[in-house]
Amino acid sequence: MSRTLRRALACALIAGFAAPAWAQVTVDNVWVRGTVPSQKVTGGFLTIRSTHGGALVGADSPVSAHVEVHEMRMEGEVARMRRIERLPLPAGEPLELRPGGYHLMLMDLKQPLKAGDKVPLRLEIDAGDGKVQTIEVEAVVRGLGTDAPAHGHGHAAH
Ligand SMILES: [Cu+2]
């Protein structure tokens, strides 16, 4: 990891993220679900607050080939996920990405993730003025089954 990235990460962790000219966005409660060795996808969860709204338009992480923003809905008894390109952020209100709802999906994991590991995540926020802010955060890995919805997370639906 470069020094610049490390410093940006430290700032994001300590102060949230503040860019005076743009919407102020803070991210906390960042975690990803731990995996077993053969598992290639997992969920990422966090809370975003943006003073002026905007949208979450992308994410990525060095531990996976790519990261998608997903929504999860129940269709009858079946939980279905689908990719969304833009997740609108309500101005001034926290938006929670959590098991059973909106979440990040880390695809094609390069390594197993075990409880207690730290995973860098980069979030792309369209602040509504045509500029995309990049926010670096660090997720903590929580053990399998943490806050799991009763029906489980339907990764097989992909
Ligand atoms: Cu998903």
Side-chain angles (χ1 to χ4, degrees), residues 71-76 78-82 100-101 103 151:
E71 79 173 343
M72 189 174 200
R73 290 175 300 137
M74 295 303 293
E75 286 178 10
V78 183
R80 294 208 185 279
M81 293 194 292
R82 77 182 177 96
H103 57 276
H151 52 265

Side-chain angles (χ1 to χ4, degrees), residues 70 81 103 105 153 155 158:
H70 280 187
M81 293 194 292
H103 57 276
M105 187 65 61
H153 200 157
H155 297 140
H158 284 288

Side-chain angles (χ1 to χ4, degrees), residues 17 22-28 47-56 87-95 125-129 133 135:
F17 184 89
W22 299 345
Q24 184 171 322
V25 179
T26 56
V27 177
D28 47 28
T47 303
I48 306 181
R49 284 180 194 77
S50 172
T51 52
H52 294 81
L56 175 63
L87 173 54
L89 303 174
E93 298 283 328
L95 179 71
I125 308 283
D126 177 350
D129 54 5
Q133 302 182 29
I135 299 179

Side-chain angles (χ1 to χ4, degrees), residues 95-138:
L95 179 71
E96 196 184 356
L97 279 65
R98 59 180 169 74
Y102 296 116
H103 57 276
L104 301 178
M105 187 65 61
L106 284 69
M107 315 290 288
D108 290 325
L109 290 169
K110 296 169 184 170
Q111 64 202 65
L113 304 178
K114 56 184 198 306
D117 285 355
K118 299 284 172 57
V119 173
L121 275 177
R122 192 168 61 200
L123 305 174
E124 292 169 10
I125 308 283
D126 177 350
D129 54 5
K131 297 193 182 90
V132 174
Q133 302 182 29
T134 299
I135 299 179
E136 310 273 353
V137 294
E138 192 173 61

Side-chain angles (χ1 to χ4, degrees), residues 7-8 11 18 24-25 35 40 64 77 82 86 101 144 150 158:
R7 194 177 310 128
C11 289
Q24 184 171 322
V25 179
T35 65
K40 285 298 181 192
S64 68
E77 303 270 290
R82 77 182 177 96
R86 285 179 67 86
L144 287 166
H158 284 288

